[in-house]
């Protein structure tokens, strides 16, 4: 499974755009990139998944460069409620193997 | 509401007790997982089931015994646990693209 590297923590203010970058240098051809959000004492919540270029949904955007060795989760105009841990996972999207959660990035949004 | 439910939400047990955690998913998924999350640590994958068959066991001690009677239900039977087993136990199910949906978790305290 491809190993991922994310910043341990980030700080932001309400209303700002936050970009969290994840490195996955040994990503395989069949691997997808998936991001999750976790609040304290709750299970992680699926945010977005992509393979290449750009994916956007109502919550976030995911930017993946052509070499796919990194990806960036973009959260537009964050609010206090976006304070959470964000995980980047890389692996096949077939469901045959579970993905491994790393330490994630702890995002703190200040007023 | 993610479509994955877990009971009980909180459990306190002694080291000699036997208890079971229950997970049910209403999403029609074929893959289900048990994770353990200790305080301020990443999620640890414990067991993976695909189509009711166990496909991964990440060196989990035998005092944890999973059971998957059908694709919608997953149990974790607990026996002679240790205080260090106190943690948040999370169940998840995965769809066709391996996006995982997590339940709210069971907060377990072993005295």
């Amino acid at each position: 499974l491809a190993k991922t590297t994310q910043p341990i923590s980030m700080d932001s203010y309400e209303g700002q755009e936050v970009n969290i970058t994840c490195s996955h240098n040994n990503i395989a051809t069949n691997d997808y990139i998936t991001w999750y959000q976790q609040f304290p004492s709750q299970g992680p919540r699926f945010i977005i998944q992509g393979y290449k270029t750009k994916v956007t949904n109502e919550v976030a955007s995911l930017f993946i460069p052509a070499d796919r060795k990194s990806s960036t989760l973009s959260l537009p105009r964050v609010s206090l409620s976006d304070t959470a841990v964000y995980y980047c996972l890389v692996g096949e999207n077939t469901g045959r193997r579970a993905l491994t959660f790393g330490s994630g990035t702890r995002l703190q949004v200040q007023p | 509401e993610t479509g994955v439910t877990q009971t009980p939400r909180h459990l306190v047990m002694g080291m000699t007790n036997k208890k079971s955690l229950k997970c049910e998913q209403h999403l029609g998924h074929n893959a289900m997982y048990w994770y353990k999350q200790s305080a301020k640590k990443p999620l640890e994958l414990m067991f993976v089931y695909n189509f009711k068959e166990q496909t991964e066991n990440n060196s989990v001690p035998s005092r944890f015994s999973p059971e998957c009677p059908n694709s919608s239900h997953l149990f974790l039977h607990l026996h002679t646990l240790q205080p260090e087993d106190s943690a948040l136990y999370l169940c998840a199910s995965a769809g066709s693209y391996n996006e995982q949906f997590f339940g709210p978790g069971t907060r377990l305290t072993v005295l």
Side-chain angles (χ1 to χ4, degrees):
Chain A
L1 297 174
K3 178 179 167 59
T4 60
T5 303
Q6 305 174 234
I8 294 175
S9 63
M10 294 182 67
D11 292 305
S12 182
Y13 293 94
E14 282 192 293
Q16 288 189 332
E17 178 184 75
V18 171
N19 296 309
I20 305 175
T21 297
C22 178
S23 297
H24 28 81
N25 292 317
N26 59 342
I27 189 169
T29 302
N30 295 331
D31 287 345
Y32 279 69
I33 300 151
T34 311
W35 285 81
Y36 290 82
Q37 174 194 56
Q38 186 180 26
F39 299 113
S41 297
Q42 294 185 25
R45 180 176 75 102
F46 172 86
I47 300 176
I48 198 166
Q49 184 182 77
Y51 184 80
K52 62 180 179 180
T53 63
K54 177 184 175 182
V55 180
T56 297
N57 62 22
E58 64 278 6
V59 176
S61 294
L62 179 59
F63 298 92
I64 306 168
D67 65 5
R68 304 198 328 120
K69 293 184 183 299
S70 67
S71 59
T72 299
L73 175 72
S74 181
L75 305 172
R77 296 184 296 282
V78 294
S79 64
L80 295 177
S81 62
D82 292 315
T83 294
V85 179
Y86 292 82
Y87 297 95
C88 164
L89 284 75
V90 174
E92 290 187 16
N93 70 340
T94 60
R96 286 195 295 268
R97 289 208 62 179
L99 305 179
T100 301
F101 283 79
S103 299
T105 297
R106 187 172 301 274
L107 173 65
Q108 180 70 49
V109 180
Q110 307 279 4
Chain B
E1 183 61 50
T2 63
V4 181
T5 59
Q6 289 186 244
T7 54
R9 295 293 307 276
H10 300 273
L11 178 61
V12 179
M13 59 187 290
M15 289 190 287
T16 58
N17 292 157
K18 288 184 180 180
K19 297 286 184 184
S20 295
L21 309 184
K22 178 182 177 182
C23 176
E24 183 173 359
Q25 58 100 355
H26 311 274
L27 302 168
H29 293 161
N30 292 312
M32 295 187 76
Y33 314 88
W34 279 116
Y35 288 88
K36 173 186 177 182
Q37 188 170 36
S38 302
K40 300 192 177 181
K41 289 186 178 180
L43 280 79
E44 300 173 49
L45 179 65
M46 300 175 73
F47 300 104
V48 179
Y49 279 82
N50 276 281
F51 294 94
K52 303 187 299 177
E53 299 298 320
Q54 187 180 121
T55 53
E56 285 190 52
N57 176 341
N58 282 357
S59 304
V60 180
S62 59
R63 57 185 183 270
F64 294 91
S65 175
E67 178 190 359
C68 188
N70 54 61
S71 294
S72 299
H73 294 86
L74 186 63
F75 295 89
L76 187 62
H77 304 299
L78 314 173
H79 177 50
T80 59
L81 295 192
Q82 305 298 312
E84 59 266 29
D85 296 322
S86 297
L88 180 68
Y89 287 84
L90 291 159
C91 171
S93 70
S96 302
Y97 296 98
N98 211 9
E99 69 278 25
Q100 296 187 35
F101 292 84
F102 285 79
T106 296
R107 173 70 61 188
L108 174 67
T109 302
V110 182
L111 301 176

